[in-house]
Amino acid sequence: MKKEFRSGCPISSALDVIGDKWSLLIIRDMLVKHKKTFKEISDSDEKIAPSILSARLKLLESYKLIFKTKVPDNKKENIYLLTEKGIRLTPIIIEFSLWGNSNMREFNEIDDIEGLNSDKTLIIQTVQDNYNSMLLNFQ
């Protein structure tokens, strides 16, 4: 499912993979909210269409940001988990959250997120540690 990149620029290359709103929201839901199944991800507030979700999951999997596996106690149900490459997007997700929190309140009712005003490095480490702890249950 790989596609052509617009250029060799690293910013452009990253945007070709995660630059649409859905990819970052999927990664956010997986990383922060620990959503793992197609249904859990599709039930997000943003109401992603199933066809778009399916396409984005395939895209993210093709670039090794996520991988698909089976639920340990239900071999029929797929779950999606972030790879280390996907987990390394944490600083970007946190930066977007901080920027949105500071700059979008005048335009939209922004949810208050507990701990968002803490030390950025601590937030990033906590999110990554929490995700990695959850991952241990699936290995």
Side-chain angles (χ1 to χ4, degrees), residues 12-116:
S12 179
S13 296
L15 289 173
D16 284 338
V17 178
I18 60 165
D20 66 286
K21 70 177 179 181
W22 296 118
S23 294
L24 282 178
L25 291 173
I26 292 166
I27 292 166
R28 174 210 62 191
D29 282 353
M30 294 176 73
L31 183 63
V32 177
K33 299 177 181 182
H34 296 180
K35 294 185 176 190
K36 297 174 281 309
T37 65
F38 190 94
K39 179 165 179 13
E40 288 173 340
I41 298 167
S42 67
D43 286 344
S44 294
D45 292 340
E46 292 82 13
K47 307 292 185 223
I48 186 170
S51 60
I52 294 173
L53 176 56
S54 180
R56 291 308 182 282
L57 289 170
K58 287 176 184 171
L59 178 73
L60 295 172
E61 189 175 14
S62 75
Y63 286 107
K64 300 180 181 170
L65 296 172
I66 67 172
F67 67 97
K68 180 171 58 172
T69 188
K70 299 288 185 186
V71 176
D73 57 348
N74 178 358
K75 297 297 181 188
K76 292 182 180 177
E77 186 172 22
N78 291 320
I79 58 171
Y80 298 89
L81 299 169
L82 293 165
T83 62
E84 184 57 38
K85 190 186 296 188
I87 295 169
R88 285 198 306 262
L89 286 167
T90 305
I92 293 168
I93 299 293
I94 298 303
E95 283 295 339
F96 262 95
S97 297
L98 292 169
W99 186 87
N101 188 51
S102 297
N103 296 285
M104 293 291 103
R105 285 192 178 275
E106 69 182 284
F107 305 107
N108 190 15
E109 286 187 32
I110 302 293
D111 295 336
D112 287 322
I113 302 171
E114 185 178 331
L116 201 54

